[in-house]
Amino acid sequence: MALKAIIYKNGELDVLDQLLLPAQSKYISVKGVEDGWKVINKMQVRGAPAIAIVGCLSLAVEVKNEKFDSKNNFRREIEGKLNYLISARPTAVNMKLAADDLLSLVNKLADDETITLENIKQNFLDAVEGMLEKDISDNKAIGMNGADVILSHTTSDTPIKILTHCNTGSLATAGYGTALGVIRRLWEIKRLEHVYCTETRPYNQGARLTAYELVHDKLPATLILDSMVASLLKSNKIAAAVVGADRVAANGDTANKIGTYQIAVVAKYHNVPFFVAAPFTSIDLAIPSGDRITIEERPAREMTHVGEHRIAAPGINCWNPAFDVTPAELITGIVTEKGVFKPTELRDAVQRIIGNAASQ
């Protein structure tokens, strides 16, 4: 059975509490926006696509069960609550872009005098609920595009070894995954020999979540510590590194889980192609470069404790950025559902594709 981190049906939303994995599989009922904000902020749900989906669905739960007295009241409520959800974890751009799209839809419909309040409400719910299906479809396209481009960099038809970082699979998306979707695709076409996943300190998304998914799907996999990447690339023939993204700037600079940047540096030294797998919703053309990306800082306790057990010396200062930015020049290609682009091609390609979609 496929892993499901997000379950939504008939206006009811449940999310898998990822803080408890792999020891427990427990779902949390999300009754509205306040619950949605909390599960995102506390990282009970995480992964840029999943953050946007859960945030928007938490609002859909409220909208489905709430009465509004006017179009303007509906519009104000939607705008305020979407902005609140964006604040839960600001680095991942997917929630903001989803909020912008939904608010644009509501404004357009509200300005049309022929459309009733109930129709606006239903259109809003349809748009949010459609995010789940679209995310899985996009992820499968990313998987195919990523597998194809990685195999194009190999010189034989034998199965290959892949390195990945953090968690980018069914637990970080509506299903299948982005970078892990690429790995799943390689396995489906019998071209994956082995996958190495990093532990991803300090939150251990790799050790707890990616390893959990790999074992669940029975993929040949090995967990390594974050500090072992250089040794792995020196001693093993790794065909490529593939990671996800929380935000991709217009020039291709990419914010992803802390530790991504150093993997890209080491991959460059060892001539290992380094790919970023991300949906179009992770690309932010409003941000010209990675220097402009806001980096979330997390509580020191995530570094100093494992569960309730303190592992760091009391009194030590801590710096705990949740993300780092990998410069575009270290990235071989950015894998999307629309194709694979070099960072230097990204801005023009995205604008062209968006323009073509708008004209149809």
Side-chain angles (χ1 to χ4, degrees), residues 52-127:
I53 292 167
V54 168
C56 293
L57 284 174
S58 74
L59 179 52
V61 170
E62 283 195 14
V63 167
K64 203 171 187 74
N65 299 306
E66 192 173 336
K67 298 291 185 182
F68 301 91
D69 54 24
S70 70
K71 291 183 181 181
N72 283 334
N73 174 246
F74 182 81
R75 183 169 13 199
R76 283 194 300 270
E77 285 286 308
I78 294 300
E79 182 173 13
K81 288 176 179 178
L82 285 171
N83 285 333
Y84 177 60
L85 287 162
I86 291 168
S87 73
R89 297 200 71 199
T91 300
V93 72
N94 304 57
M95 183 65 230
K96 182 181 184 305
L97 293 182
D100 289 346
D101 287 346
L102 289 171
L103 187 57
S104 177
L105 172 67
V106 169
N107 285 333
K108 180 182 177 181
L109 295 173
D111 289 338
D112 188 334
E113 294 181 359
T114 67
I115 297 178
T116 67
L117 175 57
E118 281 305 307
N119 284 338
I120 296 172
K121 181 176 173 179
Q122 189 57 54
N123 272 271
F124 176 84
L125 291 172
D126 290 344

Side-chain angles (χ1 to χ4, degrees), residues 138 140-149 182 275-280 283 333-342 345-346 349-350 352-353:
D138 287 348
K140 289 185 175 180
I142 289 170
M144 288 189 286
N145 291 337
D148 287 347
V149 74
V182 174
F275 292 97
V276 170
F280 257 45
I283 301 170
I334 296 170
V335 182
T336 77
E337 69 274 25
K338 304 292 186 183
V340 182
F341 308 102
K342 294 179 181 178
E345 304 170 339
L346 187 65
V350 172
R352 183 181 67 254
I353 290 168

